[in-house]
Amino acid sequence: MDTLTLIRPDDWHSHLRDGSALTQTSADMARYMGRVIVMPNLVPAVTNARLAAEYRQRILRSMQTTARQFDPLMTLYLTDATSEADIREAAEIDWLAAVKLYPAGATTNSDAGVNSLEALYPILATMEEVDLPLLVHGEVTDQDVDIFDREAAFIGEHLAPIIDRFPKLRVVLEHITTRDAVDFVKSAGPRVAATITAHHLLLNRNDMLVGGIKPHYYCLPILKRRQHQEALRGAATGEDRSFFIGTDSAPHEQHAKESACGCAGVYTAHASLEFYAEVFDELAALDRLEDFASLRGPDFYGRPRNGDTVQLRRVDWTVPATIPLGDSELVPLRAGETLHWQVVDAGAP
């Protein structure tokens, strides 16, 4: 198979940032994504519908010069101060798709995150009532827990009790990295799903650490052992429709990544669908890519599938060494390397 036509995919978890960075991140996302769920971890955080509307307008303005546009679906940043009124207002807005839970200190710009999940159970009850999904960055922040074990610990200590207490709450465990997460989602029922990134399918912790630390592979949740990578690959290409695309593409300036304390995040928006195609091709599962990338996400979120298509072709091309990011540059995943699939027809603007 040398060409592949898919219903237009969506990205159900991505970071666009703000300001001058939006020119590049929006253009990359608009290449072939129909919709994108935009993360709210700006500074200050997007904590209510007004701030989400203002951010959405900035994104839409940034796309005025692009050939085509995507539909930005916004999220609220769950904090200790989130109110029932915030949730009810958000549930009435079609483009406000979900609420995002960051444990305080878990990842980039998460300082405003939740300190006590149990204290927010009344808010989760309201979300269950109005059917507003909860998106979860699933890691504990206890410094006594090894960084490679924090996802599994979060599932056992926090996520499982939430699912038990709120069985009608729709929950997405974001950017999963472990076999523990795969097994949990498979057993949790139809109202629990998970997104899987391209970089967690392509890489494991050996890729990041062997032969010297590679800062552009550093992300949170951190890359895990090969056995966990294989579990993710099995989930993405398998028949369980609880797993779908969410790139977690995260732009960081090159100097911020290549520093004494480099920030966490991998940028994949420049070639995310091509990355997924390479993995599915390697696993002889190209016939399942459309379900993973284009169908499962809309079905879980109760939104219509896109009505147009994109086409990929098996062709070698080289990823740029750097990509503009506002007044600076970023280093994208697989910079300077050759990829073997490329989107050649992204559909009409």
Side-chain angles (χ1 to χ4, degrees):
M1 182 185 296
D2 292 323
T3 61
L4 185 63
T5 300
L6 309 176
I7 292 173
R8 185 176 302 282
D10 304 293
D11 188 344
W12 298 98
H13 178 109
S14 193
H15 299 267
L16 300 181
R17 305 303 187 215
D18 206 352
S20 60
L22 285 172
T23 301
Q24 185 64 44
T25 59
S26 294
D28 285 344
M29 193 61 60
R31 286 179 57 226
Y32 40 69
M33 294 297 178
R35 290 162 289 206
V36 56
I37 285 192
V38 183
M39 292 297 102
N41 58 331
L42 303 183
V43 179
V46 180
T47 55
N48 58 50
R50 176 184 62 81
L51 293 173
E54 293 172 355
Y55 184 24
R56 188 170 188 268
Q57 286 305 308
R58 295 195 296 275
I59 295 169
L60 292 172
R61 284 196 298 270
S62 76
M63 291 190 286
Q64 290 177 355
T65 60
T66 60
R68 61 172 303 279
Q69 297 188 359
F70 61 87
D71 182 16
L73 301 177
M74 310 308 291
T75 55
L76 295 189
Y77 191 121
L78 186 65
T79 75
D80 295 335
T82 300
S83 69
E84 180 181 330
D86 292 329
I87 299 302
R88 294 191 182 280
E89 181 181 15
E92 295 298 318
I93 302 171
D94 180 66
W95 49 257
L96 221 165
V99 174
K100 181 60 184 282
L101 164 64
Y102 292 103
T107 189
T108 304
N109 297 341
S110 62
D111 292 345
V114 171
N115 289 289
S116 171
L117 272 171
E118 290 75 11
L120 286 175
Y121 275 7
I123 300 301
L124 299 184
T126 302
M127 291 175 60
E128 181 182 44
E129 176 191 340
V130 300
D131 194 23
L132 188 62
L134 175 69
L135 313 184
V136 179
H137 181 111
E139 291 186 289
V140 299
T141 56
D142 186 341
Q143 295 302 307
D144 291 332
V145 178
D146 189 283
I147 191 170
F148 292 103
D149 298 329
R150 291 181 180 181
E151 182 173 276
F154 183 92
I155 291 170
E157 294 175 18
H158 301 291
L159 188 57
I162 287 174
I163 301 304
D164 288 342
R165 189 179 183 97
F166 305 103
K168 296 182 180 180
L169 179 66
R170 279 189 290 165
V171 177
V172 180
L173 183 55
E174 303 277 28
H175 43 53
I176 62 171
T177 63
T178 60
R179 182 180 299 277
D180 308 79
V182 170
D183 292 344
F184 178 80
V185 171
K186 285 182 175 181
S187 67
R191 299 190 71 79
V192 178
T195 55
I196 305 178
T197 76
H199 52 280
H200 284 108
L201 293 174
L202 288 164
L203 305 168
N204 59 60
R205 69 187 193 181
N206 274 5
D207 297 300
M208 181 177 63
L209 297 173
V210 172
I213 296 174
K214 301 171 184 65
H216 298 288
Y217 290 175
Y218 172 55
C219 56
L220 290 173
I222 200 163
L223 297 170
K224 304 298 196 300
R225 292 178 181 271
R226 181 182 296 274
Q227 67 196 51
H228 296 296
Q229 179 192 15
E230 294 302 326
L232 300 182
R233 287 177 163 223
T237 59
E239 297 182 358
D240 191 319
R241 306 189 74 250
S242 302
F243 304 94
F244 47 82
I245 186 173
T247 67
D248 194 25
S249 179
H252 291 282
E253 296 175 335
Q254 181 175 1
H255 68 82
K257 292 287 289 180
E258 299 173 2
S259 68
C261 187
C263 49
V266 176
Y267 192 73
T268 57
H270 62 295
S272 57
L273 192 57
E274 289 92 337
F275 289 138
Y276 286 111
E278 291 215 352
V279 172
F280 277 67
D281 191 13
E282 181 181 339
L283 298 176
L286 282 173
D287 59 320
R288 300 178 187 174
L289 179 58
E290 182 178 66
D291 192 33
F292 175 79
S294 309
L295 307 183
R296 297 178 185 178
D299 292 354
F300 180 83
Y301 277 96
R303 294 178 181 268
R305 299 171 176 179
N306 293 315
D308 55 347
T309 61
V310 300
Q311 186 178 81
L312 297 99
R313 182 175 301 157
R314 191 189 302 275
V315 59
D316 288 352
W317 64 283
T318 303
V319 177
T322 60
I323 291 176
L325 186 66
D327 297 327
S328 187
E329 292 182 329
L330 64 81
V331 177
L333 184 65
R334 294 286 171 86
E337 298 182 29
T338 299
L339 300 186
H340 306 295
W341 283 93
Q342 186 173 36
V343 174
V344 294
D345 184 358

